[in-house]
Amino acid sequence: MRKIFVLIALACSLLVCAAAQAAQITDVKWGVNKEEVLRFVVDLTDNAGYAVDIEGSVLNLTVNASKGSQVAAQGIVKSALATSYQVVDREHYTIVRVPLRQSLSESHYKSFTLKQDAQTNRPFRVVLDIMPAQRSVKAPAQSSVKAPAQTTAPVVSNRPVVSSRPTRPAAKKPAVTQPSTPAKSTASAAQSSAVKQTEAAKTETKQTTITTKKETKQPEKDKAKAEAKSSASPKVVPVSSKQTKIVGNGKFRTSGGLSGKIITLDAGHGGSDPGAIGSDGTKEKNITLAITKAVKELLEKKGAKVYMTRTTDVDVYGPNASDADELQARVNVGEKYNSDLFVSLHVNSSVNKNVGGFSTYYYPKTSNDLRIAKSIQDQLTANFGVDDLGVRQANFYVIKRISMPATLVEMCFISNEKELVLMKGKWFQNKTARLIAAGIEKYFA
């Protein structure tokens, strides 16, 4: 009996270890096209987060997956950009190091993910394109606004924050438009950097933000009718062959209390995109959804009208969507309901397992974006015994491309074992939701 018990215990432990095992790298390939762009493709057994950074003359692709035993530790490359690469196994993550022969910057590479395709028998893939020094990802020529420093901001998921897919500007209206800025490329995997998506092509095309028309004098009754009609009929503008961009009425309220305010909450990732994955297999998409639902309930008790980009474990646009389509679909929810505020909730990750804490992000398209980010960050850090990583400016798609004030909240690190245990508990989820709701309520006070 004792032997049988030991065998059962051993079998159970093996099953637990297998369940906790994150994605694994099965192959690393490279190729060069006629334009001398060097492409690396990392094959994976499952979707995984990643980050890209340049350290001196070495370009690093860090993938949140272990290295399979069949993957060579190094390889030879025949390119003007590099002659070799190394695959460095760090147990829970792997780094593909590419020593560069040319001096390149972040504008000379872009990265993205490809989903598993059962029909063609292709696995999940992370793709990194490196361009020669004479070429780079083109930035908008008309933009005069400089991108913020690229030193510490994390990647938010394993989807690009900004897609390189062109977008069409909305039809011109007699209104003021916001200037566009080049998007921030994936940041260095420094102390607060996250190994995720994203969310990270390096440029974006010109973005036009529609603001409200100039008000003309009219009777209050007629004016109310006109506003109701505008609110009910948001504009639809083509973005790509598949996706459309919804443009709301451009109006938003920032004071007067929560009652009657329209708020859109975005639970990060979902469906085919798990987001960052903890050492025990916990997926970011499940944590964000649970907390977002709790925030919604709290805000509705205060009289707010709350919408969610997703209420179940689904892709917002749909399976196999491009990064631009998926992220724009989330923006569209906020625009469709002419929201006063948009809040996106995520969980952070880093190759440094000791990094932890809360951080919030904003894009300064209005005078209120920083204010809402700070209001939520202040509530979180004043009531939790974790690190305060601060309020930071970032070019994240969903907070930049939406017209109303918006913020993206990183609710601790799934890569930090202590914080992983915390975020799985109802106590942490409920308390985080209460504090985020309190920050939103204070913003509207």
Side-chain angles (χ1 to χ4, degrees), residues 87-292:
V87 183
V88 183
D89 187 4
R90 292 287 190 250
E91 189 175 353
H92 294 301
Y93 65 94
T94 303
I95 307 174
V96 179
R97 299 186 186 276
V98 185
L100 300 171
R101 302 176 68 186
Q102 299 181 14
S103 178
L104 304 180
S105 66
E106 293 174 346
S107 65
H108 291 92
Y109 64 81
K110 64 179 181 179
S111 57
F112 54 93
T113 59
L114 294 173
K115 296 179 181 179
Q116 187 178 30
D117 189 340
Q119 292 183 346
T120 60
N121 199 29
R122 292 182 177 178
F124 291 99
R125 286 150 289 163
V126 174
V127 181
L128 173 64
D129 285 343
I130 310 172
M131 280 144 281
Q134 63 269 25
R135 296 185 64 227
S136 64
V137 180
K138 294 182 179 179
Q142 297 181 4
S143 175
S144 60
V145 183
K146 293 184 178 179
Q150 308 287 328
T151 55
T152 58
V155 181
V156 177
S157 78
N158 62 350
R159 293 179 181 273
V161 174
V162 180
S163 173
S164 58
R165 182 185 296 276
T167 61
R168 299 178 186 177
K172 291 184 178 179
K173 297 176 69 175
V176 180
T177 61
Q178 298 284 352
S180 64
T181 62
K184 179 166 62 177
S185 56
T186 309
S188 169
Q191 183 180 17
S192 63
S193 68
V195 179
K196 300 181 187 179
Q197 129 195 103
T198 134
E199 295 178 31
K202 303 304 172 282
T203 64
E204 83 182 68
T205 54
K206 186 175 181 180
Q207 166 69 15
T208 304
T209 302
I210 306 299
T211 59
T212 57
K213 293 182 179 180
K214 290 184 178 179
E215 294 185 2
T216 56
K217 293 182 179 180
Q218 55 179 319
E220 288 298 316
K221 186 176 181 180
D222 292 341
K223 183 177 179 182
K225 287 182 178 180
E227 288 182 354
K229 183 177 180 181
S230 173
S231 176
S233 305
K235 282 198 169 188
V236 177
V237 181
V239 172
S240 70
S241 59
K242 294 191 298 182
Q243 177 67 298
T244 56
K245 171 188 171 185
I246 296 177
V247 180
N249 63 13
K251 299 177 182 178
F252 51 83
R253 296 164 290 178
T254 60
S255 60
L258 268 177
S259 181
K261 298 301 188 295
I262 303 172
I263 301 169
T264 293
L265 301 177
D266 174 37
H269 311 283
S272 61
D273 176 18
I277 301 175
S279 61
D280 63 351
T282 300
K283 296 178 180 179
E284 178 185 359
K285 66 177 182 178
N286 298 327
I287 302 296
T288 61
L289 182 59
I291 295 176
T292 303

